[in-house]
């Protein structure tokens, strides 16, 4: 077993915390996605052929920007038939770089050992949250057969991060590579948040085409937050920009979706939105510190 992760981030010194970055390749070159999906995703986001960064390279990139980052991969092996990159190796990388990186775990919700895996990754390895992609993993988050997973995450005292809205994964492929968007409707998470009031739920990305529902849920449920990754801020729907400065000022989290959106680009485009300067530090760092238990 690898050593247990413990953060060593100087939270008073870093400028920001990126709540959403992907490390989906390991030292052996194994990718979380099959070749067709990986190639199509790179084309969709106009990235080069080797767009997946190894964990040490990502850490150095964020270190140079004085920014901490939440990192994860996605285990969707039941639906995809493709084994993910090594979560254990990813955690080992965050331990080497615990001054800037924060690991989230991933469990396949269809696996019979998903609950035990949550306990292992949180208890033995020290992950600080769990990432789900309902569309890629092919499950409805409010299906009660998955509730024991949320009970285990809640017992670990860490947040659950769910992809919401449209996804670039599978875009422009026949049938979207079998990926179904409806599983990422944020209204499904309203049930989860209501049924697990002690579980912190983070909705990843502006949830196009369900942004109004997303804003309503995050405003209504004290345990729900929104990360702003996956879109350049200049493309944020106007109602989301308004909510960031008002009812979501303590609920919105900076995130890029690295490598799909570059850190510099996100920060540069966010600066053009005219968000109240008093709110900006909350979004860039303070809200994330509370969600991650690092405040």
């Amino acid at each position: 077993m690898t050593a247990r992760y413990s953060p060593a981030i100087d939270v008073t010194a870093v400028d920001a915390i990126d709540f959403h970055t992907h490390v989906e390749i390991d030292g052996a070159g194994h990718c979380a996605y099959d070749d067709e999906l990986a190639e199509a995703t790179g084309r969709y986001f106009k990235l080069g052929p080797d767009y997946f960064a190894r964990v040490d390279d990502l850490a150095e990139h964020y270190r140079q920007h004085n920014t901490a980052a939440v990192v994860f991969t996605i285990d969707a092996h039941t639906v995809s038939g493709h084994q993910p990159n090594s979560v254990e190796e990813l955690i080992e990388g965050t331990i080497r770089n615990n001054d800037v990186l924060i690991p989230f775990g991933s469990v396949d919700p269809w696996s019979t050992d998903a609950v035990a895996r949550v306990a292992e990754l949180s208890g033995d390895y020290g992950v600080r949250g769990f990432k789900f992609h309902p569309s890629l993993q092919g499950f409805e988050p409010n299906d009660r057969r998955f509730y024991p997973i949320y009970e285990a995450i809640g017992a670990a005292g860490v947040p659950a991060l769910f992809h919401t809205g449209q996804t670039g994964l599978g875009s422009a492929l026949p049938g979207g590579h079998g990926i179904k968007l409806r599983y990422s409707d944020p209204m499904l998470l309203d049930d989860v948040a209501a049924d697990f009031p002690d579980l912190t739920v983070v909705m990843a990305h502006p949830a196009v085409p369900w942004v109004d529902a997303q804003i309503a849920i995050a405003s209504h449920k004290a345990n729900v937050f929104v990360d702003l990754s996956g879109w350049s801020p200049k493309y944020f729907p106007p109602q989301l920009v308004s909510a960031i400065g008002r009812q979501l000022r303590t609920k919105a989290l900076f995130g890029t979706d690295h490598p799909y959106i570059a850190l510099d680009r996100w920060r540069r485009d966010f600066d053009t939105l005219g968000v109240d300067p008093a709110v900006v530090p909350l979004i860039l760092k303070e809200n994330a510190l509370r969600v991650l238990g690092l405040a």
Side-chain angles (χ1 to χ4, degrees), residues 24-267:
E24 289 169 344
I25 192 167
D26 57 29
H30 187 74
C31 178
Y33 310 141
D34 64 67
D35 292 343
E36 183 182 24
L37 185 58
E39 182 180 346
T41 301
R43 286 198 308 269
Y44 177 81
F45 287 101
K46 298 180 174 62
L47 302 173
D50 299 318
Y51 61 88
F52 285 120
R54 265 73 171 182
V55 64
D56 293 306
D57 295 332
L58 183 140
E60 184 55 30
H61 175 70
Y62 275 80
R63 195 174 286 119
Q64 290 174 4
H65 286 80
N66 197 34
T67 300
V70 170
V71 296
F72 47 75
T73 187
I74 303 167
D75 185 347
H77 72 268
T78 298
V79 170
S80 70
H82 183 82
Q83 289 296 323
N85 55 308
S86 171
V87 175
E88 286 81 1
E89 183 181 298
L90 173 57
I91 297 169
E92 290 173 1
T94 63
I95 292 172
R96 290 194 301 272
N97 298 283
N98 66 346
D99 60 314
V100 289
L101 299 185
I102 303 162
F104 271 26
S106 177
V107 298
D108 184 336
W110 294 104
S111 292
T112 57
D113 67 346
V115 172
R117 184 72 166 150
V118 167
E120 178 187 28
L121 290 175
S122 59
D124 296 341
Y125 290 88
V127 301
R128 305 301 293 241
F130 287 85
K131 168 66 190 299
F132 296 93
H133 195 306
S135 291
L136 186 64
Q137 294 172 313
F139 77 108
E140 293 178 321
N142 64 345
D143 187 324
R144 288 184 174 271
R145 79 184 87 182
F146 305 115
Y147 274 26
I149 299 174
Y150 309 144
E151 290 173 359
I153 295 173
V158 297
L161 172 65
F162 292 84
H163 173 95
T164 60
Q166 182 180 347
T167 179
L169 297 177
S171 289
L173 290 177
H177 208 61
I179 295 169
K180 298 175 181 178
L181 300 182
R182 69 180 180 88
Y183 292 142
S184 293
D185 184 338
M187 285 306 298
L188 302 178
L189 295 176
D190 186 63
D191 293 351
V192 176
D195 293 339
F196 293 91
D198 295 327
L199 174 67
T200 298
V201 174
V202 181
M203 298 184 288
H205 319 307
V208 175
W210 302 293
V211 172
D212 290 327
Q214 179 182 46
I215 293 170
I217 295 163
S219 302
H220 186 252
K221 302 290 191 294
N223 54 320
V224 177
F225 296 77
V226 177
D227 92 34
L228 302 173
S229 67
W231 294 71
S232 163
K234 70 179 179 180
Y235 298 121
F236 285 178
Q239 66 269 42
L240 178 61
V241 176
S242 176
I244 288 170
R246 299 176 63 200
Q247 67 266 43
L248 297 186
R249 61 192 291 133
T250 62
K251 294 297 199 78
L253 309 166
F254 159 52
T256 61
D257 209 17
H258 177 92
Y260 309 117
I261 302 293
L263 175 59
D264 288 339
R265 178 190 180 192
W266 195 101
R267 292 289 301 268

